[in-house]
Amino acid sequence: MSTNKVSFCLNWEATPYHIPVFLAQTKGYFKEEGVDVSILEPSNPSDVTELIGSGKIDMGLKAMVHTLAAKARGFPVTAVGSLLDEPFTGVLYLEGSGITTDFQSLKGKKIGYVGEFGKIQIDELTKHYGMTPDDYTAVRCGMNVAKYIIEGKIDAGIGIECIQQVELEDYLRKQGRPIDHAKMLRIDKLAELGCCCFCTILYICNDEFLAKNPEKVRRIMKALKKATDFVINHPREAYEEYVDFKPHLTSEVNRKKFERCYAYFSDSLYNVHRDWRKVTAYGKRLEILPQDYEANYSNEYLSWPEPTEVEDPLEAQKLMAKHQDECKSCGGYRRLAVK
């Protein structure tokens, strides 16, 4: 039997930053474009690139470093757009855990990570700080990093500012502790990368599906752009519609996650050339990519004008950090205007 449905797999269970994908469905934007999309949620986030690369699933979402590594490992995938741009990613921990801003304070600690590349990143960083991978204990905990920290199963873990850090802040708030006791050692700063883009969340396609269905992919991306525009222009209404469709996400912590994700949503959906160059170089440094590797992304499936990239990305990151701190304190939906 055959089907005209396009299978689309999230990078993990439905979470607040998946809102444009679901709204493209609930608001009928996919239908308007003449495409039938089936949205799937994986039981194991590490399966996503393999499932898409093997052709068992047509499209989905994955972080940039995983997208690069997938093709290097023989799973042909191509990124055709961006969902979430450069969310701050790092080693999360709680004040009083014995961990400080000094990376060497991780010595002897149990560090959680989502998938294998998180461990590779920490292992590589130990070389720069006079340590070895044997100086800490790695614990694979999937997306449950905050939960494992709260339960004392790990001392720290890799997560992103707009998801796992918000979960830690929610825990602290309920304990009557200051929310700024949820700390992060940002990997981009530790590794001197000059960007956080290795965890940019991308729309990816199986290469064979892409070659056979270029116009269908263009229509899907057009629907996703329309949904993203709605989310950016009407965030409160978008969130209410989302949790009506996904009622288990109706909670204060999920609303706060959405507020913190809001500034990271890519308004153009374009792959950022500068970020791809940096992360490709980082992948070679991590030895997960061969030295002659060429980045696997394309903007040809986006049918609207490509924006000019920011002139000073480091300054933009500083402004974003300040912006997110203000959002943490005051809440609300605000975008950062950067030239």
Side-chain angles (χ1 to χ4, degrees), residues 64-248:
M64 190 180 288
V65 68
H66 299 101
T67 301
L68 285 160
K71 190 171 183 179
R73 291 183 168 187
F75 294 108
V77 297
T78 296
V80 294
S82 300
L83 168 64
L84 211 65
D85 273 339
E86 300 192 66
F88 293 132
T89 307
V91 181
L92 293 164
Y93 64 96
L94 294 176
E95 182 85 11
S97 64
I99 299 171
T100 69
T101 55
D102 180 1
F103 184 84
Q104 289 193 338
S105 65
L106 296 177
K107 189 175 290 186
K109 302 295 185 182
K110 292 177 289 185
I111 311 300
Y113 63 98
V114 176
E116 65 174 308
F117 296 118
K119 184 178 187 307
I120 289 171
Q121 287 178 304
I122 299 298
D123 285 354
E124 198 270 342
L125 282 169
T126 62
K127 302 175 186 177
H128 297 274
Y129 291 90
M131 297 163 58
T132 73
D134 293 332
D135 285 325
Y136 78 99
T137 300
V139 179
R140 187 164 185 163
C141 47
M143 297 297 183
N144 297 313
V145 168
K147 178 177 182 288
Y148 276 41
I149 292 174
I150 291 166
E151 293 175 350
K153 295 178 180 177
I154 57 176
D155 301 294
I158 298 175
I160 61 176
E161 180 265 334
C162 54
I163 300 294
Q164 288 90 353
Q165 186 165 345
V166 176
E167 292 172 353
L168 289 178
E169 291 165 3
D170 182 66
Y171 163 75
L172 291 168
R173 187 181 292 107
K174 290 174 179 175
Q175 295 292 310
R177 296 171 59 184
I179 62 172
D180 62 5
H181 281 191
K183 306 290 188 180
M184 176 186 284
L185 295 174
R186 278 173 46 185
I187 290 177
D188 61 308
K189 288 187 173 182
L190 293 170
E192 299 179 330
L193 297 178
C195 68
C196 295
C197 47
F198 57 88
C199 263
T200 289
I201 307 300
L202 305 167
Y203 294 104
I204 68 173
C205 287
N206 170 270
D207 283 358
E208 183 177 354
F209 171 79
L210 186 59
K212 290 180 178 178
N213 301 276
E215 191 54 40
K216 186 176 285 188
V217 172
R218 288 188 180 94
R219 294 200 301 269
I220 289 170
M221 297 309 295
K222 187 176 178 181
L224 290 166
K225 174 67 164 66
K226 191 171 183 179
T228 302
D229 289 345
F230 183 84
V231 171
I232 290 174
N233 292 323
H234 308 283
R236 288 178 177 81
E237 185 179 345
Y239 182 70
E240 289 304 315
E241 185 167 335
Y242 184 40
V243 297
D244 183 60
F245 182 69
K246 287 283 187 181
H248 70 280

Side-chain angles (χ1 to χ4, degrees), residues 8-34:
F8 186 104
C9 190
L10 306 180
N11 55 325
W12 60 310
E13 65 184 19
T15 199
Y17 66 70
H18 293 137
I19 188 168
V21 179
F22 282 101
L23 260 62
Q25 187 81 282
T26 61
K27 299 192 77 63
Y29 298 150
F30 287 138
K31 186 176 181 180
E32 287 175 10
E33 291 299 321

